[in-house]
Amino acid sequence: MSANPLLAITMGDVNGIGPEILAKALARPEPWAVCEPVILGDKTAYDQARRFALHAPEAVAISDLTHWQPRQGQVALMDAGHAGPLGRPGALDAEAGSAAVAWIVHAARLAKDGVVAGMVTCPINKEGIALAGCPHAGHTSLIAEVTGAADYRMCLFTDTMRIVHITAHLSLRDAVAAVKRDRILESIRIGHDALNRIQTPQQRIAVAGLNPHAGENGQFGREEIEEIRPAVAQARAEGIDCSGPWPPDTVFKRMRDGEFEMVIAMYHDQGHIPLKLIAMDEGVNVTLGIPIVRTSVDHGTAYDIAGKGIAREHSLCAAIRLAAQLSQRQGVRA
Amino acid sequence: MSANPLLAITMGDVNGIGPEILAKALARPEPWAVCEPVILGDKTAYDQARRFALHAPEAVAISDLTHWQPRQGQVALMDAGHAGPLGRPGALDAEAGSAAVAWIVHAARLAKDGVVAGMVTCPINKEGIALAGCPHAGHTSLIAEVTGAADYRMCLFTDTMRIVHITAHLSLRDAVAAVKRDRILESIRIGHDALNRIQTPQQRIAVAGLNPHAGENGQFGREEIEEIRPAVAQARAEGIDCSGPWPPDTVFKRMRDGEFEMVIAMYHDQGHIPLKLIAMDEGVNVTLGIPIVRTSVDHGTAYDIAGKGIAREHSLCAAIRLAAQLSQRQGVRA
């Protein structure tokens, strides 16, 4: 075994760009410098995708990691009993959805059992997993269930912008109602723990307001006064370097300009709008607050360009790098 | 009179950067290529600010525009009975607030009476005008009152991004409740009218969703289905080139990349976050839906750098240019 952490990388929907970005990412030296990857996916799909990546390693099918000895030019691949289906780029397919779910569940269990240090996920198709009878809307709630997580935080990270959302897929009306002191405080703690693990030189956390101009002293909205400020005060009392609530329309620019390492966002789009505008390709989705390390590409299956060799592997490379960073000090708080 | 439209430019708070950016903007040839400017402000403050702008025109104090004959190197200045106070850069001052209000009211009346084609405003200090006894939170509601406007839309424009907000300074909770079909439809119409006046080659309007992923078919939030979609359908039936609701976290990037000329935003920060992130200096604030042309710089008084000669005039230049464009076909719909 190498000294680098073992990371399980799920292939996602075989009909999307997952196999291609996997082959392209593993053809690069960067992932190998920070981790020992293990693919959870279909061998045929991976082998076919290698045509787009000259230096992609050969996949060696294994059924468990006990006897796996990494060799130069090889990567371990497990299919968790779900070989296939044959990839049909761009096709919505229940079998593809079913296989994707099996790989995710297996990877999450390996991570939970400590066999791997973390997991990285390629995109799935929501309709595909629904056709396969999976009741989850996406990766995150499925992984939370497998790992027994009571709660989690959806986050978006780039090299310079790190955003922790206190809620994710709620209607904006419900998201506003969820802006509560305890939830904000726990988000700050979770974010602070992640900064600790990544070992950023500084760990300045900015907490965004909810309302325009952060409410202007209660003129439009009182959540800043009643919920956010007390949460910031408590976090500071715990020794966390955090500030706010800040006006939402400038706090992300301030982070990008180097004033903060992280912003706690009060709802999904408050963080997604700035991040997607600036970092379409290098964004990484991170699930914090669960007992395993899990990162994901920040894009979908891209059925429209699947099988064409033009998908970009940058987000996957960034997701692998971040998972490796988070793995290094996993357990510091968990 | 030149063939260019007369534009009243209010100086704003004399203790802020208004006098300086005015002098710097008028020292450039661009404003003069598109309008005939008239300053509403204090002559001494302007004269002092000329030290930062070698080619700024000499101000000629007049009391009305009837006999004004523009000459090269001169600009008309009216103080509306409020000369002074003596500028004290960075100082909060009731008298400065009072003068700023008088200049705004006078400019709005000139525009309403058709004496000028529109008005452009430099920043005021909210506390300053409150100290002066003005009951308005800012320019817009004051101007709406003077011009008898029942309603208005706050907008942010750059050369490539144009955002119309259906509401402005409401708490997010109240803003969500204001996402109603009629309000959205009227915003689309108002935005379309502005594109007509600016004469963009195409006039593609994207309507943003309210909820994450535009609600994913009602999974989180039903405003897209019940309010936004019907408004888009009605606008299309009226011949307006509009589409949506689109997922909020990618629609602004799509506009920046050239897919749309305008986005209708469902709340203040939905539009302010992306615009401030990308265009801190060239953003222009526009008030649409009122019976006059009015644009404004997209920044505050910047007391911290007032009187130092380092303020940038770019937003004011852009505001002047946009007001001139909007003036050209004023009345097409109003």
Side-chain angles (χ1 to χ4, degrees), chain A residues 142-193:
Chain A
L142 172 59
I143 293 169
E145 185 183 86
V146 173
T147 58
D151 195 9
Y152 51 83
R153 293 297 183 281
M154 183 183 190
C155 313
L156 288 173
F157 280 32
T158 70
D159 281 343
T160 57
M161 297 180 73
R162 298 174 196 87
I163 301 170
V164 174
H165 297 84
I166 70 166
T167 58
H169 296 129
L170 292 181
S171 72
L172 190 55
R173 185 183 302 267
D174 290 345
V176 168
V179 174
K180 293 295 178 196
R181 178 181 172 154
D182 288 351
R183 188 160 193 88
I184 300 161
L185 177 59
E186 187 59 18
S187 304
I188 298 170
R189 289 175 179 151
I190 287 170
H192 177 67
D193 173 59

Short mmCIF file of all heavy atoms in Angstrom, two decimals, chain A residues 142-193:
data_model
loop_
_atom_site.label_atom_id
_atom_site.label_comp_id
_atom_site.label_asym_id
_atom_site.label_seq_id
_atom_site.Cartn_x
_atom_site.Cartn_y
_atom_site.Cartn_z
N LEU A 142 -28.75 9.68 -0.03
CA LEU A 142 -28.44 8.24 -0.09
C LEU A 142 -27.21 7.92 0.77
O LEU A 142 -27.22 7.00 1.60
CB LEU A 142 -28.20 7.83 -1.55
CG LEU A 142 -27.67 6.42 -1.83
CD1 LEU A 142 -28.62 5.36 -1.28
CD2 LEU A 142 -27.47 6.21 -3.33
N ILE A 143 -26.17 8.70 0.59
CA ILE A 143 -24.94 8.48 1.37
C ILE A 143 -25.18 8.74 2.85
O ILE A 143 -24.68 8.01 3.71
CB ILE A 143 -23.81 9.39 0.82
CG1 ILE A 143 -23.43 8.94 -0.60
CG2 ILE A 143 -22.58 9.35 1.74
CD1 ILE A 143 -22.54 9.91 -1.34
N ALA A 144 -25.98 9.76 3.15
CA ALA A 144 -26.30 10.04 4.55
C ALA A 144 -27.01 8.83 5.17
O ALA A 144 -26.71 8.44 6.30
CB ALA A 144 -27.18 11.29 4.65
N GLU A 145 -27.91 8.22 4.42
CA GLU A 145 -28.63 7.05 4.94
C GLU A 145 -27.67 5.89 5.19
O GLU A 145 -27.68 5.28 6.27
CB GLU A 145 -29.72 6.63 3.96
CG GLU A 145 -30.59 5.49 4.49
CD GLU A 145 -31.64 5.04 3.47
OE1 GLU A 145 -31.31 4.19 2.62
OE2 GLU A 145 -32.75 5.57 3.52
N VAL A 146 -26.83 5.61 4.20
CA VAL A 146 -25.91 4.47 4.34
C VAL A 146 -24.95 4.65 5.52
O VAL A 146 -24.62 3.71 6.23
CB VAL A 146 -25.10 4.26 3.03
CG1 VAL A 146 -24.03 3.20 3.22
CG2 VAL A 146 -26.02 3.90 1.88
N THR A 147 -24.54 5.91 5.73
CA THR A 147 -23.55 6.15 6.79
C THR A 147 -24.20 6.50 8.12
O THR A 147 -23.50 6.78 9.09
CB THR A 147 -22.59 7.30 6.39
OG1 THR A 147 -23.36 8.48 6.14
CG2 THR A 147 -21.81 6.93 5.14
N GLY A 148 -25.53 6.52 8.15
CA GLY A 148 -26.23 6.81 9.39
C GLY A 148 -26.09 8.24 9.86
O GLY A 148 -26.15 8.53 11.05
N ALA A 149 -25.93 9.18 8.90
CA ALA A 149 -25.78 10.58 9.27
C ALA A 149 -27.15 11.19 9.56
O ALA A 149 -28.09 11.00 8.80
CB ALA A 149 -25.10 11.35 8.15
N ALA A 150 -27.25 11.94 10.65
CA ALA A 150 -28.53 12.56 11.01
C ALA A 150 -28.74 13.83 10.21
O ALA A 150 -29.86 14.23 9.93
CB ALA A 150 -28.55 12.86 12.50
N ASP A 151 -27.67 14.45 9.82
CA ASP A 151 -27.77 15.77 9.20
C ASP A 151 -26.52 15.95 8.34
O ASP A 151 -25.55 15.21 8.48
CB ASP A 151 -27.80 16.83 10.30
CG ASP A 151 -28.25 18.19 9.79
OD1 ASP A 151 -28.70 18.28 8.63
OD2 ASP A 151 -28.15 19.16 10.56
N TYR A 152 -26.54 16.91 7.44
CA TYR A 152 -25.35 17.15 6.64
C TYR A 152 -25.39 18.56 6.08
O TYR A 152 -26.43 19.22 6.10
CB TYR A 152 -25.21 16.13 5.51
CG TYR A 152 -26.45 15.98 4.66
CD1 TYR A 152 -26.73 16.85 3.62
CD2 TYR A 152 -27.36 14.95 4.91
CE1 TYR A 152 -27.86 16.71 2.85
CE2 TYR A 152 -28.50 14.80 4.15
CZ TYR A 152 -28.76 15.68 3.12
OH TYR A 152 -29.89 15.54 2.37
N ARG A 153 -24.27 19.01 5.57
CA ARG A 153 -24.19 20.32 4.95
C ARG A 153 -23.64 20.17 3.55
O ARG A 153 -22.61 19.52 3.34
CB ARG A 153 -23.26 21.26 5.73
CG ARG A 153 -23.74 21.65 7.10
CD ARG A 153 -25.04 22.45 7.06
NE ARG A 153 -25.46 22.87 8.39
CZ ARG A 153 -26.07 22.10 9.28
NH1 ARG A 153 -26.34 20.84 8.99
NH2 ARG A 153 -26.41 22.57 10.46
N MET A 154 -24.31 20.79 2.60
CA MET A 154 -23.87 20.78 1.21
C MET A 154 -22.93 21.97 1.03
O MET A 154 -23.25 23.09 1.39
CB MET A 154 -25.10 20.97 0.35
CG MET A 154 -24.84 20.92 -1.11
SD MET A 154 -26.41 21.26 -1.95
CE MET A 154 -25.93 20.84 -3.61
N CYS A 155 -21.77 21.71 0.46
CA CYS A 155 -20.77 22.77 0.35
C CYS A 155 -20.19 22.80 -1.06
O CYS A 155 -20.20 21.79 -1.78
CB CYS A 155 -19.62 22.52 1.32
SG CYS A 155 -20.18 22.10 2.97
N LEU A 156 -19.71 23.95 -1.44
CA LEU A 156 -19.03 24.11 -2.72
C LEU A 156 -17.66 24.70 -2.45
O LEU A 156 -17.57 25.74 -1.80
CB LEU A 156 -19.82 25.05 -3.64
CG LEU A 156 -21.12 24.52 -4.22
CD1 LEU A 156 -21.86 25.63 -4.95
CD2 LEU A 156 -20.83 23.37 -5.17
N PHE A 157 -16.63 24.05 -2.94
CA PHE A 157 -15.28 24.53 -2.68
C PHE A 157 -14.55 24.75 -4.01
O PHE A 157 -14.68 23.96 -4.94
CB PHE A 157 -14.47 23.49 -1.88
CG PHE A 157 -14.74 23.47 -0.40
CD1 PHE A 157 -15.99 23.80 0.11
CD2 PHE A 157 -13.74 23.11 0.50
CE1 PHE A 157 -16.24 23.75 1.48
CE2 PHE A 157 -13.98 23.06 1.87
CZ PHE A 157 -15.23 23.37 2.36
N THR A 158 -13.76 25.80 -4.07
CA THR A 158 -12.72 25.93 -5.08
C THR A 158 -11.43 26.22 -4.32
O THR A 158 -11.43 26.22 -3.09
CB THR A 158 -12.98 27.08 -6.07
OG1 THR A 158 -12.81 28.32 -5.38
CG2 THR A 158 -14.39 27.01 -6.65
N ASP A 159 -10.37 26.51 -5.03
CA ASP A 159 -9.12 26.80 -4.33
C ASP A 159 -9.23 28.06 -3.47
O ASP A 159 -8.58 28.17 -2.43
CB ASP A 159 -7.97 26.98 -5.33
CG ASP A 159 -7.47 25.64 -5.82
OD1 ASP A 159 -7.77 24.62 -5.16
OD2 ASP A 159 -6.79 25.60 -6.85
N THR A 160 -10.05 29.02 -3.91
CA THR A 160 -10.12 30.28 -3.17
C THR A 160 -11.48 30.56 -2.54
O THR A 160 -11.60 31.44 -1.72
CB THR A 160 -9.79 31.47 -4.10
OG1 THR A 160 -10.71 31.44 -5.20
CG2 THR A 160 -8.37 31.40 -4.62
N MET A 161 -12.51 29.84 -2.97
CA MET A 161 -13.84 30.08 -2.42
C MET A 161 -14.37 28.80 -1.79
O MET A 161 -14.37 27.75 -2.43
CB MET A 161 -14.80 30.55 -3.53
CG MET A 161 -14.40 31.88 -4.15
SD MET A 161 -15.55 32.43 -5.49
CE MET A 161 -16.99 32.94 -4.57
N ARG A 162 -14.81 28.90 -0.55
CA ARG A 162 -15.38 27.73 0.13
C ARG A 162 -16.71 28.17 0.73
O ARG A 162 -16.75 29.10 1.53
CB ARG A 162 -14.44 27.22 1.21
CG ARG A 162 -13.11 26.74 0.66
CD ARG A 162 -12.11 26.38 1.72
NE ARG A 162 -10.78 26.32 1.13
CZ ARG A 162 -9.96 27.37 1.00
NH1 ARG A 162 -10.33 28.56 1.45
NH2 ARG A 162 -8.79 27.23 0.42
N ILE A 163 -17.76 27.50 0.31
CA ILE A 163 -19.10 27.91 0.73
C ILE A 163 -19.79 26.73 1.41
O ILE A 163 -19.86 25.64 0.86
CB ILE A 163 -19.92 28.38 -0.48
CG1 ILE A 163 -19.21 29.56 -1.16
CG2 ILE A 163 -21.32 28.77 -0.05
CD1 ILE A 163 -19.79 29.95 -2.50
N VAL A 164 -20.27 26.97 2.63
CA VAL A 164 -21.06 25.97 3.35
C VAL A 164 -22.50 26.47 3.38
O VAL A 164 -22.76 27.59 3.85
CB VAL A 164 -20.54 25.78 4.80
CG1 VAL A 164 -21.45 24.85 5.58
CG2 VAL A 164 -19.11 25.25 4.78
N HIS A 165 -23.42 25.68 2.87
CA HIS A 165 -24.83 26.06 2.87
C HIS A 165 -25.52 25.50 4.09
O HIS A 165 -25.37 24.30 4.38
CB HIS A 165 -25.53 25.50 1.63
CG HIS A 165 -24.99 26.04 0.35
ND1 HIS A 165 -23.87 25.53 -0.26
CD2 HIS A 165 -25.39 27.07 -0.43
CE1 HIS A 165 -23.61 26.22 -1.36
NE2 HIS A 165 -24.52 27.16 -1.48
N ILE A 166 -26.29 26.32 4.77
CA ILE A 166 -26.95 25.78 5.97
C ILE A 166 -28.12 24.87 5.58
O ILE A 166 -28.51 24.01 6.35
CB ILE A 166 -27.38 26.88 6.97
CG1 ILE A 166 -28.54 27.72 6.45
CG2 ILE A 166 -26.21 27.77 7.34
CD1 ILE A 166 -29.18 28.55 7.57
N THR A 167 -28.67 25.06 4.39
CA THR A 167 -29.67 24.12 3.86
C THR A 167 -29.38 23.91 2.37
O THR A 167 -28.61 24.66 1.77
CB THR A 167 -31.11 24.65 3.98
OG1 THR A 167 -31.21 25.90 3.29
CG2 THR A 167 -31.52 24.83 5.43
N ALA A 168 -30.02 22.91 1.78
CA ALA A 168 -29.74 22.64 0.36
C ALA A 168 -31.04 22.71 -0.45
O ALA A 168 -31.50 23.79 -0.79
CB ALA A 168 -29.06 21.30 0.22
N HIS A 169 -31.62 21.58 -0.72
CA HIS A 169 -32.75 21.55 -1.64
C HIS A 169 -34.08 21.72 -0.93
O HIS A 169 -34.90 20.81 -0.84
CB HIS A 169 -32.70 20.26 -2.46
CG HIS A 169 -31.48 20.21 -3.32
ND1 HIS A 169 -30.61 19.15 -3.37
CD2 HIS A 169 -30.95 21.16 -4.14
CE1 HIS A 169 -29.60 19.43 -4.19
NE2 HIS A 169 -29.79 20.65 -4.67
N LEU A 170 -34.27 22.93 -0.47
CA LEU A 170 -35.55 23.34 0.10
C LEU A 170 -36.08 24.47 -0.75
O LEU A 170 -35.31 25.20 -1.38
CB LEU A 170 -35.35 23.90 1.52
CG LEU A 170 -34.93 22.94 2.63
CD1 LEU A 170 -34.81 23.72 3.94
CD2 LEU A 170 -35.95 21.82 2.78
N SER A 171 -37.41 24.65 -0.76
CA SER A 171 -37.95 25.84 -1.39
C SER A 171 -37.38 27.05 -0.66
O SER A 171 -37.00 26.94 0.52
CB SER A 171 -39.48 25.85 -1.29
OG SER A 171 -39.86 26.11 0.05
N LEU A 172 -37.31 28.19 -1.33
CA LEU A 172 -36.72 29.36 -0.69
C LEU A 172 -37.53 29.74 0.55
O LEU A 172 -36.97 30.15 1.57
CB LEU A 172 -36.65 30.53 -1.68
CG LEU A 172 -35.84 31.74 -1.20
CD1 LEU A 172 -34.43 31.36 -0.80
CD2 LEU A 172 -35.80 32.82 -2.28
N ARG A 173 -38.84 29.55 0.46
CA ARG A 173 -39.69 29.85 1.61
C ARG A 173 -39.29 29.00 2.83
O ARG A 173 -39.11 29.52 3.93
CB ARG A 173 -41.16 29.57 1.22
CG ARG A 173 -42.18 29.95 2.25
CD ARG A 173 -43.57 29.54 1.77
NE ARG A 173 -43.92 30.16 0.49
CZ ARG A 173 -44.58 31.31 0.37
NH1 ARG A 173 -44.97 31.96 1.44
NH2 ARG A 173 -44.86 31.79 -0.83
N ASP A 174 -39.11 27.70 2.61
CA ASP A 174 -38.71 26.82 3.71
C ASP A 174 -37.28 27.11 4.15
O ASP A 174 -36.95 26.98 5.34
CB ASP A 174 -38.83 25.35 3.28
CG ASP A 174 -40.28 24.92 3.12
OD1 ASP A 174 -41.17 25.66 3.60
OD2 ASP A 174 -40.53 23.87 2.50
N ALA A 175 -36.42 27.47 3.19
CA ALA A 175 -35.03 27.77 3.54
C ALA A 175 -34.96 28.99 4.46
O ALA A 175 -34.18 29.02 5.42
CB ALA A 175 -34.20 28.01 2.27
N VAL A 176 -35.79 29.99 4.20
CA VAL A 176 -35.83 31.18 5.06
C VAL A 176 -36.25 30.78 6.47
O VAL A 176 -35.65 31.21 7.47
CB VAL A 176 -36.80 32.24 4.49
CG1 VAL A 176 -37.08 33.33 5.51
CG2 VAL A 176 -36.23 32.85 3.20
N ALA A 177 -37.24 29.89 6.55
CA ALA A 177 -37.73 29.46 7.87
C ALA A 177 -36.67 28.65 8.62
O ALA A 177 -36.71 28.53 9.85
CB ALA A 177 -39.01 28.65 7.71
N ALA A 178 -35.71 28.08 7.88
CA ALA A 178 -34.68 27.24 8.51
C ALA A 178 -33.46 28.04 8.97
O ALA A 178 -32.49 27.47 9.47
CB ALA A 178 -34.24 26.14 7.54
N VAL A 179 -33.50 29.34 8.80
CA VAL A 179 -32.38 30.19 9.26
C VAL A 179 -32.51 30.37 10.77
O VAL A 179 -33.14 31.31 11.25
CB VAL A 179 -32.38 31.54 8.51
CG1 VAL A 179 -31.30 32.46 9.09
CG2 VAL A 179 -32.13 31.32 7.03
N LYS A 180 -31.95 29.41 11.48
CA LYS A 180 -32.06 29.39 12.94
C LYS A 180 -30.68 29.29 13.56
O LYS A 180 -29.77 28.67 13.02
CB LYS A 180 -32.89 28.17 13.38
CG LYS A 180 -34.36 28.26 12.96
CD LYS A 180 -35.08 29.42 13.65
CE LYS A 180 -36.52 29.55 13.18
NZ LYS A 180 -37.08 30.88 13.56
N ARG A 181 -30.56 29.92 14.72
CA ARG A 181 -29.30 30.02 15.44
C ARG A 181 -28.53 28.70 15.53
O ARG A 181 -27.34 28.64 15.19
CB ARG A 181 -29.65 30.54 16.85
CG ARG A 181 -28.49 30.66 17.75
CD ARG A 181 -28.95 31.14 19.11
NE ARG A 181 -27.85 31.07 20.06
CZ ARG A 181 -27.74 31.84 21.14
NH1 ARG A 181 -28.67 32.72 21.41
NH2 ARG A 181 -26.71 31.73 21.94
N ASP A 182 -29.17 27.63 15.96
CA ASP A 182 -28.46 26.36 16.17
C ASP A 182 -27.91 25.80 14.86
O ASP A 182 -26.81 25.28 14.80
CB ASP A 182 -29.40 25.33 16.81
CG ASP A 182 -29.67 25.67 18.26
OD1 ASP A 182 -29.00 26.58 18.79
OD2 ASP A 182 -30.56 25.03 18.86
N ARG A 183 -28.73 25.91 13.83
CA ARG A 183 -28.34 25.38 12.52
C ARG A 183 -27.15 26.16 11.95
O ARG A 183 -26.25 25.60 11.35
CB ARG A 183 -29.55 25.49 11.59
CG ARG A 183 -29.33 24.83 10.28
CD ARG A 183 -30.63 24.52 9.54
NE ARG A 183 -30.26 23.62 8.47
CZ ARG A 183 -30.20 22.31 8.59
NH1 ARG A 183 -30.59 21.72 9.69
NH2 ARG A 183 -29.77 21.58 7.59
N ILE A 184 -27.18 27.47 12.16
CA ILE A 184 -26.07 28.32 11.69
C ILE A 184 -24.80 28.01 12.48
O ILE A 184 -23.72 27.83 11.91
CB ILE A 184 -26.44 29.82 11.85
CG1 ILE A 184 -27.69 30.15 11.04
CG2 ILE A 184 -25.27 30.72 11.45
CD1 ILE A 184 -28.39 31.43 11.49
N LEU A 185 -24.94 27.92 13.80
CA LEU A 185 -23.78 27.63 14.65
C LEU A 185 -23.15 26.29 14.27
O LEU A 185 -21.93 26.19 14.12
CB LEU A 185 -24.23 27.62 16.12
CG LEU A 185 -23.14 27.27 17.15
CD1 LEU A 185 -21.97 28.25 17.07
CD2 LEU A 185 -23.73 27.27 18.57
N GLU A 186 -23.97 25.27 14.07
CA GLU A 186 -23.43 23.96 13.72
C GLU A 186 -22.74 24.03 12.35
O GLU A 186 -21.70 23.40 12.13
CB GLU A 186 -24.57 22.93 13.71
CG GLU A 186 -24.11 21.50 13.52
CD GLU A 186 -23.14 20.98 14.58
OE1 GLU A 186 -23.04 21.58 15.67
OE2 GLU A 186 -22.45 19.97 14.30
N SER A 187 -23.28 24.84 11.44
CA SER A 187 -22.65 25.00 10.12
C SER A 187 -21.28 25.65 10.25
O SER A 187 -20.33 25.27 9.57
CB SER A 187 -23.54 25.84 9.21
OG SER A 187 -24.83 25.27 9.10
N ILE A 188 -21.19 26.64 11.12
CA ILE A 188 -19.89 27.31 11.35
C ILE A 188 -18.88 26.29 11.90
O ILE A 188 -17.74 26.21 11.44
CB ILE A 188 -20.04 28.49 12.34
CG1 ILE A 188 -20.99 29.57 11.76
CG2 ILE A 188 -18.68 29.10 12.66
CD1 ILE A 188 -21.38 30.65 12.77
N ARG A 189 -19.33 25.50 12.87
CA ARG A 189 -18.43 24.49 13.47
C ARG A 189 -17.97 23.49 12.42
O ARG A 189 -16.80 23.13 12.35
CB ARG A 189 -19.16 23.75 14.58
CG ARG A 189 -19.41 24.57 15.84
CD ARG A 189 -20.25 23.74 16.80
NE ARG A 189 -20.53 24.43 18.06
CZ ARG A 189 -21.62 24.21 18.79
NH1 ARG A 189 -22.54 23.34 18.38
NH2 ARG A 189 -21.80 24.86 19.92
N ILE A 190 -18.91 23.01 11.61
CA ILE A 190 -18.58 22.03 10.57
C ILE A 190 -17.60 22.63 9.56
O ILE A 190 -16.63 22.00 9.14
CB ILE A 190 -19.88 21.55 9.88
CG1 ILE A 190 -20.68 20.63 10.82
CG2 ILE A 190 -19.57 20.86 8.56
CD1 ILE A 190 -22.08 20.29 10.32
N GLY A 191 -17.85 23.87 9.19
CA GLY A 191 -16.95 24.55 8.25
C GLY A 191 -15.57 24.76 8.83
O GLY A 191 -14.55 24.55 8.16
N HIS A 192 -15.53 25.13 10.08
CA HIS A 192 -14.25 25.35 10.76
C HIS A 192 -13.45 24.06 10.81
O HIS A 192 -12.23 24.04 10.57
CB HIS A 192 -14.53 25.88 12.17
CG HIS A 192 -13.30 26.09 12.99
ND1 HIS A 192 -12.36 27.06 12.70
CD2 HIS A 192 -12.83 25.44 14.09
CE1 HIS A 192 -11.38 27.00 13.59
NE2 HIS A 192 -11.65 26.04 14.44
N ASP A 193 -14.13 22.97 11.11
CA ASP A 193 -13.47 21.66 11.13
C ASP A 193 -12.87 21.33 9.76
O ASP A 193 -11.74 20.83 9.67
CB ASP A 193 -14.50 20.59 11.54
CG ASP A 193 -13.94 19.19 11.44
OD1 ASP A 193 -12.93 18.91 12.10
OD2 ASP A 193 -14.50 18.39 10.68
#
